[in-house]
Amino acid sequence: MAKYILAHDLGTTGNKATLFSLDGELGASVLYEYPVSYPCNDWVEQNPEDFWKAVCLSGKQLLEKARVTPADVAGICFSAQMMGCLLVDSEGNHLRPIITWADTRSTRQAEEMEKKLGMEYVYRVTGHRISASYSAAKLLWVRDNENAVYKRSYKMLNAKDFIIHKLTGNFVTDYSDASSTNLFNLDKKDWDEQSINELGIPRSLLPDPHPSSDRAGSVSARAARETGLLEGTPVIIGGGDGSCACVGAGVVSEGSAYNVLGSSSWISLASRKPVYDPHMRTFNWVHLDPELYTPCGTMQAAGYSYNWYRNTLCGEEMTQARQCDENPYNLINAGVAASSPGANGLIYLPYLLGERSPRWNHDARGAFIGLSVNSGKGDISRAVLEGVAFNLKIILGILENGIAGGINEVILIGGGAKGDVWLQIISDIWQKPLTVPVLREEATSLGAAVCGGIGIGAFKDYQAISRFNKVEKVITPNAALAEQYNSLFSIFDKSYESLKTVYKELAEYRRTFAG
């Protein structure tokens, strides 16, 4: 009897194939990396055939590693990067590389969308601001700049949708990925007719949207030969990585919230209704559960800030770590712990890559404010971690104001959840308990696996996550630091506001002199 769900998580730099047993145990995991291409400034593309190669090879390696036969696989499900634009012909052959979520070449098309539709209309209907980050503007860029490709296109897909067609021959997407396009009506759970008509996008170009746990089809004979799976194995659609992470973190009931602390970071929650911020600083996906939404705010440089700081300013710690076979972050964290809360009045603005939520300012950049002769290395290190936590606190406050009952605790997942020093800082700044589950870096794959289990009938609903991801620890806030951190948080926010004109002028300087 088949007893495993095979989850593929098609990330930005690689595919993670993971096996989960139907009784909630993590079997094994394999990562297969693929390249990212940067053909021009602001362009970020990938070859979708690399996705397929990764799925085929990682799946075979996984079964071998876990000593599991293809007959043991009860179903396949997917999590994947969102907000892409992958154009294919009627046979499913890609016509150009996928334009990924990180690509922002289509700023002019986004501006044209705003003129035709209005920012307020799109935000209220799709749950998102108009942005070059989303699929719609990317599609219009292809129409404007590669019209021959556009005319030959049969469907616009996201990453997992392409793989599903490779496996089954069917063109489908799910509500969560559809909600990353700037074209999906959240209330109707369908493509927004006014948007696509005003923009001149044929309805036929968009794949039929489904609940994430719907069955897309079965593994075809050809796909079975290439993947090593059994012909006829059920293929469940799955969802975008954000919505899958939500389930994997255990956020499957209204009001519960989670934070992914990785290179980027986001806070999201489960809600019966979208949360619309009056200032449009946060946005909304559809949850894997089609009855729920996942209001969300994403910052660009969370763990990336810490990584940049380590690589740029911590050469001494890096050398010492190599000599002692130690993790350099442990050495940096020791300095953080030795500094005092508030980093002796030093503030770090974590905008190394510009910022999405809550600032939505492409020109914003990182800054240290308050450096003095008394600032020590530990203070600088601590300021970096506190700056990320302050920025996320803005997002948390917006989301909390949008739901009844508030947020009592936040579940923390991602690679950054391994460091207790940073977790305590976050808990103290937010004044919220942080629940850390056992499976932190596998949460996205885990969400896809639970979705797959529902799709094949092994699980009744998404509450099944409770059997998979147990709580490892709870970090509680130090109430004595609340007043101090609230005071510094206000200064943090004012610091950004005071620098907005400077950021704009520096952006113009870079365009003129720095290339």
Side-chain angles (χ1 to χ4, degrees):
M1 179 179 177
K3 55 185 179 181
Y4 289 97
I5 298 292
L6 170 55
H8 285 286
D9 178 21
L10 291 151
T12 302
T13 58
N15 176 63
K16 179 185 283 188
T18 310
L19 278 177
F20 293 94
S21 69
L22 296 179
D23 58 4
E25 296 297 322
L26 171 64
S29 183
V30 168
L31 176 66
Y32 187 96
E33 296 183 343
Y34 38 68
V36 181
S37 175
Y38 305 92
C40 299
N41 188 37
D42 296 329
W43 290 30
V44 188
E45 298 183 342
Q46 290 180 290
N47 182 352
E49 289 299 330
D50 289 336
F51 300 162
W52 177 237
K53 181 180 179 182
V55 165
C56 292
L57 295 180
S58 64
K60 290 177 182 177
Q61 291 171 6
L62 179 65
L63 296 184
E64 182 179 345
K65 179 179 179 180
R67 298 181 180 178
V68 167
T69 69
D72 290 325
V73 178
I76 311 157
C77 197
F78 295 89
S79 165
Q81 55 175 291
M82 308 169 78
M83 302 157 59
C85 177
L86 172 53
L87 295 170
V88 299
D89 63 20
S90 59
E91 299 299 315
N93 301 307
H94 71 279
L95 300 175
R96 68 170 327 283
I98 182 173
I99 304 176
T100 78
W101 63 272
D103 188 291
T104 57
R105 74 182 74 177
S106 54
T107 52
R108 185 175 66 80
Q109 285 72 27
E111 291 168 357
E112 290 176 0
M113 286 178 63
E114 185 171 359
K115 290 177 183 177
K116 290 183 177 180
L117 297 169
M119 184 69 79
E120 180 73 19
Y121 174 81
V122 172
Y123 183 72
R124 287 290 170 178
V125 170
T126 74
H128 298 264
R129 299 167 64 101
I130 297 170
S131 171
S133 296
Y134 297 114
S135 308
K138 295 176 171 68
L139 176 63
L140 296 178
W141 183 93
V142 176
R143 185 177 70 182
D144 293 346
N145 295 276
E146 299 176 356
N147 194 249
V149 170
Y150 182 82
K151 288 181 177 179
R152 290 175 57 204
S153 300
Y154 180 71
K155 295 292 180 187
M156 181 184 75
L157 305 176
N158 257 303
K160 76 174 192 338
D161 308 332
F162 176 75
I163 299 301
I164 286 172
H165 181 269
K166 285 278 197 178
L167 288 169
T168 69
N170 297 325
F171 292 107
V172 296
T173 193
D174 80 298
Y175 295 158
S176 69
D177 246 350
S179 70
S180 78
T181 61
N182 249 178
L183 296 171
F184 193 68
N185 189 306
L186 292 182
D187 291 332
K188 296 179 179 179
K189 300 289 197 317
D190 202 355
W191 304 111
D192 184 59
E193 292 294 336
Q194 181 173 334
S195 294
I196 62 177
N197 289 339
E198 288 287 339
L199 298 174
I201 297 171
R203 172 67 174 76
S204 60
L205 190 58
L206 305 174
D208 291 335
H210 293 261
S212 299
S213 60
D214 274 11
R215 181 168 172 168
S218 302
V219 174
S220 67
R222 178 180 176 180
R225 290 192 297 270
E226 294 189 55
T227 62
L229 297 168
L230 287 185
E231 181 180 356
T233 302
V235 177
I236 309 304
I237 300 174
D241 53 8
S243 295
C244 287
C246 194
V247 171
V251 178
V252 294
S253 300
E254 187 170 32
S256 54
Y258 77 105
N259 171 221
V260 175
L261 191 59
S263 295
S264 63
S265 181
W266 67 86
I267 299 175
S268 185
L269 51 84
S271 174
R272 289 283 171 186
K273 296 180 179 179
V275 171
Y276 295 108
D277 173 48
H279 304 290
M280 298 184 286
R281 292 169 294 177
T282 55
F283 44 90
N284 297 271
W285 312 113
V286 180
H287 196 280
L288 296 188
D289 181 342
E291 299 301 316
L292 295 173
Y293 298 89
T294 57
C296 182
T298 301
M299 66 171 290
Q300 297 286 70
Y304 192 94
S305 283
Y306 203 11
N307 180 262
W308 166 84
Y309 174 67
R310 181 199 68 177
N311 294 341
T312 308
L313 299 176
C314 295
E316 181 180 349
E317 290 84 352
M318 296 279 279
T319 300
Q320 185 178 346
R322 285 192 295 268
Q323 293 172 345
C324 302
D325 193 25
E326 175 67 276
N327 186 329
Y329 287 117
N330 291 339
L331 301 178
I332 299 170
N333 285 341
V336 172
S339 176
S340 59
N344 287 313
L346 180 61
I347 288 173
Y348 168 71
L349 299 182
Y351 307 130
L352 301 179
L353 298 171
E355 190 55 290
R356 290 178 66 196
S357 181
R359 307 302 189 186
W360 295 98
N361 186 347
H362 183 70
D363 294 335
R365 289 296 182 268
F368 287 102
I369 299 173
L371 282 167
S372 77
V373 293
N374 296 318
S375 297
K377 184 67 170 289
D379 298 329
I380 300 172
S381 303
R382 188 178 188 97
V384 171
L385 302 188
E386 289 180 341
V388 172
F390 282 137
N391 202 62
L392 290 169
K393 180 180 171 70
I394 300 173
I395 296 170
L396 183 64
I398 297 166
L399 297 178
E400 190 165 26
N401 289 337
I403 61 170
I407 296 170
N408 295 322
E409 67 173 0
V410 180
I411 301 166
L412 203 73
I413 59 175
K418 292 181 290 190
D420 285 350
V421 172
W422 201 357
L423 299 191
Q424 189 63 57
I425 287 173
I426 292 171
S427 180
D428 291 342
I429 287 176
W430 296 355
Q431 285 295 297
K432 301 284 186 186
L434 303 180
T435 299
V436 183
V438 174
L439 300 178
R440 297 182 287 273
E441 296 185 68
E442 296 83 4
T444 307
S445 300
L446 179 53
V450 172
C451 182
I454 294 170
I456 64 170
F459 309 140
K460 179 183 177 182
D461 55 35
Y462 287 99
Q463 298 297 329
I465 186 61
S466 62
R467 78 177 74 171
F468 282 83
N469 211 358
K470 306 296 183 183
V471 174
E472 180 179 286
K473 58 188 173 184
V474 177
I475 310 294
T476 57
N478 183 348
L481 294 176
E483 182 179 359
Q484 177 182 348
Y485 270 135
N486 282 338
S487 177
L488 195 59
F489 172 66
S490 176
I491 300 170
F492 170 89
D493 204 29
K494 289 177 182 176
S495 297
Y496 166 77
E497 294 295 333
S498 299
L499 286 173
K500 283 200 294 189
T501 301
V502 174
Y503 286 143
K504 186 175 181 180
E505 291 175 353
L506 280 174
E508 183 60 34
Y509 169 83
R510 288 192 298 270
R511 284 189 288 269
T512 304
F513 298 106

